[in-house]
Amino acid sequence: KNEVEQSPQNLTAQEGEFITINCSYSVGISALHWLQQHPGGGIVSLFMLSSGKKKHGRLIATINIQEKHSSLHITASHPRDSAVYTCAVDYGGSQGNLIFGKGTKLSVKP
Amino acid sequence: DTGVSQDPRHKITKRGQNVTFRCDPISEHNRLYWYRQTLGQGPEFLTYFQNEAQLEKSRLLSDRFSAERPKGSFSTLEIQRTEQGDSAMYLCASSPGTAGTRPHYEQYFGPGTRLTVT
C-alpha cells in the first residue's frame, strides 16, 4: 500500500500553461519534499516544507497540514520543465528516510 | 564536483552473480541512505547510516543484501546471488544532521546505479 498518492500520473501541457501536481498522504508528517528528475538525469530536490508555501522562480509549493495535501505549481511552463516530479514525505522517524509517491511525468509541448 | 557520486552507473550481471555498488556522499554529510527504484515506481527506502552505524534496514533488504559504511565516509551495497527481481535503479542520498536531531534536511541524491540481471 502506497501511503503517498500523487495525481495526475501523466500530464501533457502546452508551453505557457499553469500546471498543478497534487500529493496527498495518509498520516501526520514532519516534512514533505518535492523532487524533480529530468530524463536521463538524477533526482534533484526542489522544495522541502512542513507548513505554508515556498516559491523558487516559477515553481511554487504549498502544503495544507490539516488536509494532508500538498501541491506543486509551475507558472508559465516551458519545455525544459518536462520531467518527473515526485513528492516524498518524512513521517518523523529518527532516521529521516523518505516515503515516495510514484511520480508525475510532465511533458510540456512547445 | 562536490555532489553525491555513485559507481558504476550501469551494471549488467548474470543471475546468481554477486555485485557491489559504491556511493560517495557529500563529504560533510553524516547521514547516508540507499533507495531502490523499479520502473514506474517511486524510490523505496532500503537502509540508512548515521556516520558508520547502520541504524535502519527495510524489510525489502533481504539477507542477500548487505551494506557498509566504513569510517563513515563512502558506502557500499552488495547483492549476493542476484535474481532478476533485483533489476532496478539503486539510489544513494546523503544529508547533514546528527543522531537524535530533528531539524529537517534536504537529501542530495546521486545519479544512481542501474542494475540489470539477465
Side-chain angles (χ1 to χ4, degrees), chain A residues 2 30-31 33 35 37 40-43 45 47-48 50 86 90 92-103, chain B residues 9 31 33 35 37 40-45 48 50 55-56 89 91 100-102 104-111:
Chain A
N2 196 328
S30 294
H33 300 244
L35 307 157
Q37 187 170 20
I43 295 174
S45 177
F47 296 103
M48 180 182 64
S50 51
T86 304
D90 177 352
S94 60
Q95 63 273 23
N97 60 286
L98 301 177
I99 309 297
F100 292 77
K102 291 187 178 182
Chain B
R9 294 290 301 275
R31 295 179 174 177
Y33 305 84
Y35 296 93
Q37 184 174 24
Q41 303 294 317
E44 295 173 294
F45 170 73
Y48 156 73
Q50 177 75 45
L55 297 185
E56 182 76 15
M89 177 74 84
L91 296 162
T101 61
R102 282 309 296 158
H104 305 291
Y105 299 100
E106 290 185 34
Q107 293 187 18
Y108 295 80
F109 286 82

Side-chain angles (χ1 to χ4, degrees), chain A residues 47 49-55 60-63 73:
Chain A
F47 296 103
L49 64 167
S50 51
S51 65
K53 175 179 171 179
K54 287 191 176 180
K55 184 175 188 292
I60 303 166
T62 64
I63 188 167
H73 305 286

Side-chain angles (χ1 to χ4, degrees), chain B residues 25-76:
Chain B
I26 293 172
S27 60
E28 63 269 24
H29 284 183
N30 297 314
R31 295 179 174 177
L32 187 147
Y33 305 84
W34 284 99
Y35 296 93
R36 181 174 70 185
Q37 184 174 24
T38 53
L39 201 61
Q41 303 294 317
E44 295 173 294
F45 170 73
L46 291 179
T47 191
Y48 156 73
F49 289 86
Q50 177 75 45
N51 299 312
E52 69 277 6
Q54 188 175 18
L55 297 185
E56 182 76 15
K57 290 197 291 187
S58 162
R59 60 182 170 77
L60 294 175
L61 215 66
S62 76
D63 56 6
R64 296 185 298 105
F65 288 70
S66 62
E68 295 182 342
R69 193 183 181 197
K71 302 177 184 177
S73 55
F74 71 91
S75 176
T76 57

Side-chain angles (χ1 to χ4, degrees), chain A residues 13-77:
Chain A
Q14 287 299 127
E15 183 173 356
E17 286 185 2
F18 180 83
I19 288 163
T20 296
I21 299 171
N22 295 299
C23 176
S24 60
Y25 49 91
S26 53
V27 296
I29 63 170
S30 294
L32 183 143
H33 300 244
W34 281 102
L35 307 157
Q36 178 193 59
Q37 187 170 20
H38 282 101
I43 295 174
V44 173
S45 177
L46 296 175
F47 296 103
M48 180 182 64
L49 64 167
S50 51
S51 65
K53 175 179 171 179
K54 287 191 176 180
K55 184 175 188 292
H56 184 249
R58 295 180 295 105
L59 301 177
I60 303 166
T62 64
I63 188 167
N64 185 317
I65 297 297
Q66 287 74 30
E67 295 186 4
K68 299 184 177 57
H69 180 269
S70 176
S71 294
L72 176 69
H73 305 286
I74 305 175
T75 61
S77 59

